[in-house]
Amino acid sequence: MAGAVPSESRLRADARRNSQQIRSAAIGAFQGQGLTVPLEEVAKAAGVSKATIFNRFGGRIGLIEAVIEEVVASELFAVIDHTRTIDDTGQRIAYYLTAIRDLQYRQPAFNDVLLQTYPHSQQLMEICRVGSEANEELITAARASGALRPEFTADDLHALVVDNALALKHGKRPPRDDYDRRTTYILDGIRGLPSASDRR
């Protein structure tokens, strides 16, 4: 009937559709441009108003927390889990650092997490906590085995990835071949030094 008020079920269906469209648009925008992408762009991609994002998710933090699992967390945690399956500590550190730098290059949102761009997000801070624990665990084992220079610490690893996050977010993006070559240089620089007998 013309002019009839939409039923409650119809409103709920519209709300669910809007929420899913916003989620999908946010995942694409955050993965492509990082967590600081203007919400107007997310709204436009979702075909809704910016006000609808606030109505459905409460704003940027709520939207980030609604999709951060798909955007960053699942892939990062998969890297950490796989790292723990590698027996050789030298291979473990090589895989982990290479995988983290690859994630930084491909996923601008990961750099926003590392830089703690939104410290009021409990989920983002939890991701940082899990990552810090993994770094500490990895570096402790690698130093004990001699796979790393003895003076290299978990704080040094943290500084390397944060400095890289800053460079990728605010600097000129390097070609992939150059980026991967520099990853090799970093690994060569932090590996344990050969003993005197090894050098003979």
Side-chain angles (χ1 to χ4, degrees), residues 14-27 42-43 45-48 57:
D14 289 345
R16 285 195 299 270
R17 184 178 65 253
N18 285 342
S19 294
Q20 186 54 50
Q21 289 173 180
I22 293 168
R23 282 176 55 88
S24 297
I27 290 170
V42 177
V48 301
F57 296 94

Side-chain angles (χ1 to χ4, degrees), residues 123-192:
Q123 288 192 33
L124 263 62
M125 298 310 293
E126 176 63 12
I127 293 170
C128 290
R129 184 193 66 78
V130 172
S132 294
E133 288 186 356
N135 288 354
E136 187 70 43
E137 172 189 319
L138 178 67
I139 297 304
T140 298
R143 289 177 66 187
S145 71
L148 287 176
R149 301 174 70 102
E151 70 273 22
F152 189 81
T153 67
D155 285 343
D156 292 325
L157 177 58
H158 177 74
L160 283 175
V161 296
V162 168
D163 287 349
N164 190 45
L166 287 167
L168 288 170
K169 185 171 180 62
H170 300 294
K172 183 178 179 181
R173 185 180 179 85
R176 185 66 200 238
D177 288 348
D178 290 345
Y179 184 83
D180 290 342
R181 179 166 47 84
R182 289 162 191 158
T183 299
T184 301
Y185 295 155
I186 293 170
L187 286 169
D188 288 345
I190 68 176
R191 284 194 176 102

